[in-house]
Amino acid sequence: MSTYLLVHGAWHSGRAWDRVVPMLASAGHQVFAPSLTGYGDKAHLLGPEVGLDTHVDDVVELILGEDLTEVVLVGHSYAGLVISSVANRIPERIAHLVYLDAMVPLDGESAVDVMPVTQRLIDQALESGSGWRVPPLPELPPPAGLFGLTDPADIAWVRTMMSDHPVRCLQQPVRLDNPAARAVPRTHIHCVAGVPEGFARRPVPAVQPNGSPAQVWELPTGHDCMITMPAELTGLLLRLAPVRAV
């Protein structure tokens, strides 16, 4: 049995993984898909003080509280920043980092550094009445749709879990100063359909921080692949289960 910890992206909640969790579990694995502070069952905690560090704490506290080890840590979208920082804090607990159509930061970078279009969202939030709320992205014509979703039923379902994103999450930089974290292997899974204009993806370096060749897989679907291609995504994640000595 391996342990998978699935971290949702901005504006979503842990429910985004509802189609993937049962498939991983039926393969005999332990699966966690928590909602970060401000989302899902923690939506009432949303506030201007919530930032990237808050979400990193959420995940670290879960791993330590459940005494999880050899974790396959999956971060979708914004959560690439989160899982990078978690690995920096507790690398000895992480078996593999999976960047699922995710932001991949360097030390000291924020979301704006990784994806400059994010600055527009920050500016809009700072100029809004709240001064800190970043509303969900608007639905676009197909094939972009809403986070890559075009099926009306999927869009309606995702709307039930959506919350505003605190601007502080996009402003705080990551801290990646622990050399031990470089040893954690990485896999990048890119969703290659329906990418909105302006959302350019950073090229993945040919060599991982641990010296191994980069591992990049693709899914022919939109951004929210856990909703549109859950079986295919699960199949990829199962390939990353750590091999344990008997």
Side-chain angles (χ1 to χ4, degrees), residues 2-4 68-72 92-96 242-244:
S2 297
T3 299
Y4 289 84
L68 305 180
T69 58
E70 295 190 37
V71 176
V72 178
E92 70 281 359
R93 303 252 177 181
I94 311 302
H96 207 107
V243 178
R244 300 184 182 225

Side-chain angles (χ1 to χ4, degrees), residues 14-225:
R15 291 171 55 210
W17 303 100
D18 280 1
R19 298 176 185 177
V20 172
V21 169
M23 287 188 265
L24 289 173
S26 68
H29 301 296
Q30 185 178 35
V31 190
F32 295 85
S35 290
L36 301 173
T37 296
Y39 298 98
D41 59 344
K42 300 175 184 174
H44 60 289
L45 300 175
L46 183 69
E49 73 286 350
V50 175
L52 172 61
D53 289 348
T54 311
H55 293 158
V56 174
D57 288 342
D58 288 340
V59 178
V60 169
E61 289 168 9
L62 173 60
I63 292 173
L64 296 181
E66 297 287 341
D67 195 21
L68 305 180
T69 58
E70 295 190 37
V71 176
V72 178
L73 184 59
V74 183
H76 179 238
S77 196
Y78 152 78
L81 304 178
V82 178
I83 67 169
S84 296
S85 299
V86 170
N88 190 68
R89 293 260 298 271
I90 48 172
E92 70 281 359
R93 303 252 177 181
I94 311 302
H96 207 107
L97 289 174
V98 183
Y99 291 90
L100 181 59
D101 219 32
M103 296 183 179
V104 186
L106 301 175
D107 184 30
E109 290 189 328
S110 69
V112 176
D113 298 303
V114 181
M115 189 171 287
V117 70
T118 307
Q119 186 62 54
R120 269 202 330 246
L121 306 178
I122 294 174
D123 293 342
Q124 290 169 1
L126 296 177
E127 294 165 4
S128 68
S130 71
W132 61 271
R133 288 179 176 268
V134 181
L137 298 178
E139 183 178 348
L140 299 172
L146 182 68
F147 301 110
L149 304 176
T150 56
D151 181 87
D154 287 342
I155 291 171
W157 178 59
V158 167
R159 287 193 186 281
T160 67
M161 72 179 75
M162 288 168 57
S163 298
D164 289 346
H165 196 54
V167 72
R168 190 172 172 81
C169 295
L170 305 178
Q171 295 172 314
Q172 282 190 321
V174 299
R175 292 187 294 275
L176 306 179
D177 54 2
N178 186 347
R182 297 178 62 84
V184 179
R186 303 178 172 200
T187 293
H188 303 261
I189 302 176
H190 293 163
C191 301
V192 297
V195 180
E197 185 178 347
F199 285 80
R201 182 183 293 114
R202 251 187 192 172
V204 175
V207 179
Q208 298 185 41
N210 67 359
S212 300
Q215 181 158 265
V216 182
W217 298 334
E218 293 184 349
L219 287 172
T221 189
H223 188 54
D224 277 3
C225 60

